[in-house]
Amino acid sequence: MKLKEVLGHISPVFDSNKRKQLVIDAISTSEQKNEGVINIHRYDATNVGDYFCAPHQYFDELKGKVLDISGMRKVSKKDRTHWIDTVVNNSLIIGGGGLLNLRHFEKQMQLFESLHAKGKKTVLWGPGHNEVNRELFGKKINYNVDLKNFGMAGVRDYSNKEHWVPCVSCMHTVFDQKFTETQEVGIIFSKKTLKDTSLLAKLENFPSTNNTTNLDDMVSFIGKSETLVTDSYHAMYWAMLLGKKTVVVPTTSKFYDFKYQPVVTSYEDFEDVLSQATAYSGVLEECRTVNKDYASKVFDYLNL
């Protein structure tokens, strides 16, 4: 038994899994209510994609109604109690972001799955698989939850065409701007890759930014690039919304399951495949239409 598990028997402060289980037990044994609605996702202001990938950012019916999915494991008992009460008392919109098939969110997602049978109204809105096992990249991914166990299910993965609802960040007005291309290639690094100083040094001659800046700067950088190279899912998605040629360096399965396919490569070899990249048209309009149609159905289901 790991030391943190031993200490967790003494106090949940020492073991995040113990804290999660206490929260799960408290919610699972409570009477479920639908007094309001809350949008649960990874609410992280230091990751532009995570922050803007949820519907509460774009629809007046959901403004300010947000709960961070990671709050389940807060050390503070007061914070965990707030998380429990919020989930118990409200209908749930879960997503977007890479919440499926990722260990960090597995317990939360399975908890939400179980609540529909107890009278909870539950909606998946744009989450997707995030499998880190490279042997599964590009293959059909079986989710770690069953979509049938939610009141409504819309996922960003196109392999589930009947449930396809692309990331709702397409609704942001930043994509209505017009941009002038001033650089042939631009690179956007993910938060994790940004720590690889040796890689950054090798690519220092290319214009670059990262997904820890802000939305306006990221989209502006994409807008002035003819071709975007990235290991950030949302940078890939936003580049396609803007009709850019897109090349990705995949870190999880999520890069392989958008409706329109980028060129897949590595940071060592991306220069060899730049000529293969394709720009798609009409993606922004299509993604917005799908999200507006889904919103209408969701708000009807939730009586909003």
Side-chain angles (χ1 to χ4, degrees), residues 35 78 105 148 237:
E35 295 176 348
K78 180 180 178 181
F105 305 131
K148 295 193 298 291
Y237 178 54

Side-chain angles (χ1 to χ4, degrees), residues 20-284:
K20 283 184 178 181
Q21 193 58 52
L22 288 172
V23 170
I24 290 170
D25 292 344
I27 293 173
S28 298
T29 56
S30 297
E31 178 186 357
Q32 299 302 312
K33 301 177 182 177
N34 296 287
E35 295 176 348
V37 61
I38 200 76
N39 184 183
I40 302 175
H41 71 112
R42 182 65 184 99
Y43 190 57
D44 180 6
T46 69
N47 183 310
V48 183
D50 284 345
Y51 189 75
F52 284 102
C53 71
H56 71 88
Q57 299 275 16
Y58 309 102
F59 296 94
D60 291 339
E61 294 88 342
L62 304 175
K63 291 293 185 184
K65 299 175 180 179
V66 58
L67 187 69
D68 184 3
I69 193 170
S70 293
M72 172 193 250
R73 59 186 180 86
K74 289 279 190 179
V75 172
S76 165
K77 184 176 180 179
K78 180 180 178 181
D79 289 341
R80 296 199 307 274
T81 299
H82 169 72
W83 205 90
I84 292 168
D85 292 342
T86 302
V87 172
V88 166
N89 291 318
N90 291 281
S91 299
L92 309 179
I93 294 177
I94 305 113
L99 304 180
L100 302 172
N101 298 74
L102 189 65
R103 179 179 58 84
H104 300 297
F105 305 131
E106 185 170 27
K107 290 182 181 295
Q108 293 97 314
M109 295 306 299
Q110 291 176 350
L111 168 65
F112 303 147
E113 179 187 18
S114 72
L115 296 181
H116 181 60
K118 299 180 180 182
K120 177 73 68 183
K121 289 188 174 184
T122 54
V123 175
L124 296 180
W125 193 330
H129 57 68
N130 212 352
E131 174 62 60
V132 299
N133 182 355
R134 290 185 174 270
E135 293 183 0
L136 297 177
F137 285 13
K139 299 178 181 179
K140 172 67 175 178
I141 301 292
N142 294 316
Y143 293 136
N144 57 355
V145 295
D146 190 334
L147 301 186
K148 295 193 298 291
N149 293 333
F150 294 85
M152 291 185 64
V155 293
R156 71 186 186 185
D157 306 316
Y158 196 65
S159 57
N160 282 282
K161 296 181 182 65
E162 69 275 22
H163 294 289
W164 185 59
V165 179
C167 179
V168 72
S169 60
C170 64
M171 299 300 298
H172 203 289
T173 57
V174 70
F175 300 107
D176 295 320
Q177 298 179 64
K178 302 298 181 183
F179 299 96
T180 300
E181 293 179 351
T182 60
Q183 55 197 31
E184 291 185 9
V185 177
I187 302 176
I188 293 184
F189 297 108
S190 68
K191 186 176 181 179
K192 183 176 181 180
T193 303
L194 195 60
K195 300 175 183 178
D196 188 344
T197 55
S198 62
L199 175 64
L200 300 186
K202 290 178 182 178
L203 301 177
E204 62 181 358
N205 292 329
F206 289 92
S208 67
T209 186
N210 60 80
N211 68 347
T212 68
T213 55
N214 61 72
L215 183 64
D216 287 333
D217 288 349
M218 268 187 71
V219 173
S220 176
F221 182 87
I222 295 170
K224 64 185 180 181
S225 304
E226 180 180 338
T227 301
L228 187 80
V229 180
T230 187
D231 63 324
S232 159
Y233 177 89
H234 283 95
M236 173 199 77
Y237 178 54
W238 296 340
M240 289 188 172
L241 295 181
L242 292 176
K244 301 297 179 177
K245 299 174 184 177
T246 310
V247 175
V248 299
V249 178
T251 54
T252 80
S253 62
K254 60 190 176 185
F255 292 89
Y256 293 86
D257 213 347
F258 185 53
K259 182 176 181 178
Y260 302 95
Q261 286 298 295
V263 172
V264 175
T265 187
S266 65
Y267 278 125
E268 289 74 25
D269 301 322
F270 77 88
E271 291 180 83
D272 297 331
V273 300
L274 290 174
S275 62
Q276 300 174 25
T278 300
Y280 299 96
S281 61
V283 181
L284 176 62

